[in-house]
Amino acid sequence: MYAQMVDTGLKEVRTADDMPPEERAFQARIDADIKIEPKDWMPEAYRRTLIRQISQHAHSEIVGMLPEGNWVTRAPTLKRKAILMAKIQDEAGHGLYLYSAAETLGISRDQMLADLHAGRAKYSSIFNYPTLTWADIGTIGWLVDGAAIMNQIPLCRCSYGPYARAMVRICKEESFHQRQGYDIMLAMSRGTDEQQAMAKDALARWWWPSLMMFGPSDAASVHSGQSAAWKIKLLSNDELRQRFVDQTVPQADFLGLTVPDPALRWNDETGHYDFGAIDWSEFHNVIKGNGPCNRDRLQARVNAWDEGAWVREAAMAHAEKRAAGAARAVASIQQQGRTA
Amino acid sequence: MTEWPLWEVFIRSQHGLAHKHVGSLHAPDAELAIRNARDVYTRRNEGISIWVVRSADVVASSPGDKEALFEPANSKVYRHPTFFPMPDEVKHI
């Protein structure tokens, strides 16, 4: 998902016997669905895992603006351009809500960005693929934002208050993203032969990377157990992936597009779609930094940060100068009051 | 250089309710904090008024004081109107 393979730093799920009394009380609150708030006591591993998960999620929102930004100047109409800009602005907002939530755990914004820029923090594998045609923008909204919603709705109920509240805001805004994507796909799949070919090609390229967004299969997902006990992961990777396939295949059918998986078929017994094996070597390769766009994406972020430094410094200098001026004015009025 | 200070953002929605905390953001001064809050927290007509307060200026109760602060109210159930059963015959009360 937007946060994939989040390391808990623990080898196995903590049991009540492992826990000192304060941790037992903490786990009891989580089990009773009481939210954990910033000033409450929490185990260090919970705090560190949440910082990793929330910052990874925030970085994904911010890096996720790059593949879409590629098409702002080339959107086919003014209306589509305005919509795309609104969507990209939302992604920036989502990143900001999430950075704020992570900061309540005691990490600074600058530290999170430094970790991203140095390659110590991850972002979702999905944003390392290129956006080659306008149909890619449609497919991202439809599939990538669709997959994000699937993951984020349960997170609205997660145990950490600031994260849960950020997710509520994000989910309210996210379905606009998915619908605008599907709307682009509707137009293209009913358009000229060339547009239909673009729609087909985009689905062929984005389908498998979208399924990989949910992370490794449950059997290979070593940290999921502890994250589930802490209620910062509410549904398993495979459960979410299956829901996504079940929901999305009929939407592709409606568009008249074929999902690029020869093994895909409806299973009457299970009431779900069966689908083919995912190429996990591709996923791990992208996570390691070797996807088609990893270097470009990170370089774009580092450049934006470095080239914006003078703006951040100038704004702060201006604010300090004005505050100093105001303080001098107050002092001089007080001085006059005393001498009068 | 050091980060821009953190501000807490409060928004009053359309319907005459009190300002409500919606989140936080970084800004160099109050003026830019309001502008950033407009962009981050009111993209869909969420509000008609914004307050920003430096996070460093917020004084909060501590979780450890929860019992001392809030426990005394638990035993004062007579502060709720439902504490007083009214005869069925008595109306409009």
Side-chain angles (χ1 to χ4, degrees), chain B residues 9-41:
Chain B
V9 181
F10 301 79
I11 304 277
R12 192 216 302 276
S13 64
Q14 314 264 1
H15 308 293
L17 297 172
H19 285 76
K20 189 177 166 217
H21 183 243
V22 292
S24 44
L25 50 75
H26 290 269
D29 57 26
E31 192 185 333
L32 277 171
I34 295 262
R35 286 207 208 177
N36 289 354
R38 195 280 305 259
D39 289 344
V40 180
Y41 292 107

Side-chain angles (χ1 to χ4, degrees), chain A residues 32-43:
Chain A
D33 284 328
I34 298 170
K35 296 273 185 258
I36 306 301
E37 296 294 341
K39 288 179 154 188
D40 293 335
W41 184 90
M42 60 185 84

Side-chain angles (χ1 to χ4, degrees), chain A residues 39-40 89-90 93-94 96-97 100 103 108-110 169 173 176 312-313 315-316 319 322, chain B residues 1 3-6 22 24-26 28-29 31-32 39-41 43-44 46 60-61 63:
Chain A
K39 288 179 154 188
D40 293 335
Q89 196 185 16
D90 275 354
H94 297 176
L96 294 174
Y97 308 153
S100 295
E103 284 173 272
S108 73
R109 179 87 51 108
D110 281 2
R169 296 188 63 85
E173 299 176 350
F176 145 57
R312 296 192 298 277
E313 285 162 18
M316 200 65 234
R322 292 234 318 219
Chain B
M1 78 156 233
E3 297 191 328
W4 286 352
L6 192 65
V22 292
S24 44
L25 50 75
H26 290 269
D29 57 26
E31 192 185 333
L32 277 171
D39 289 344
V40 180
Y41 292 107
R43 290 193 302 281
R44 289 176 175 76
E46 285 91 340
S61 65

Side-chain angles (χ1 to χ4, degrees), chain A residues 41-55:
Chain A
W41 184 90
M42 60 185 84
E44 261 316 291
Y46 175 84
R47 180 189 302 277
R48 283 196 307 270
T49 303
L50 266 178
I51 288 176
R52 268 192 288 267
Q53 178 170 337
I54 301 173
S55 65

Side-chain angles (χ1 to χ4, degrees), chain A residues 151-177:
Chain A
N151 180 55
Q152 289 169 171
I153 287 180
L155 281 176
C156 296
R157 294 182 283 116
C158 78
S159 62
Y160 189 57
Y163 191 27
R165 291 190 284 272
M167 289 323 308
V168 169
R169 296 188 63 85
I170 290 174
C171 286
K172 274 187 193 162
E173 299 176 350
E174 201 80 70
S175 59
F176 145 57
H177 299 178

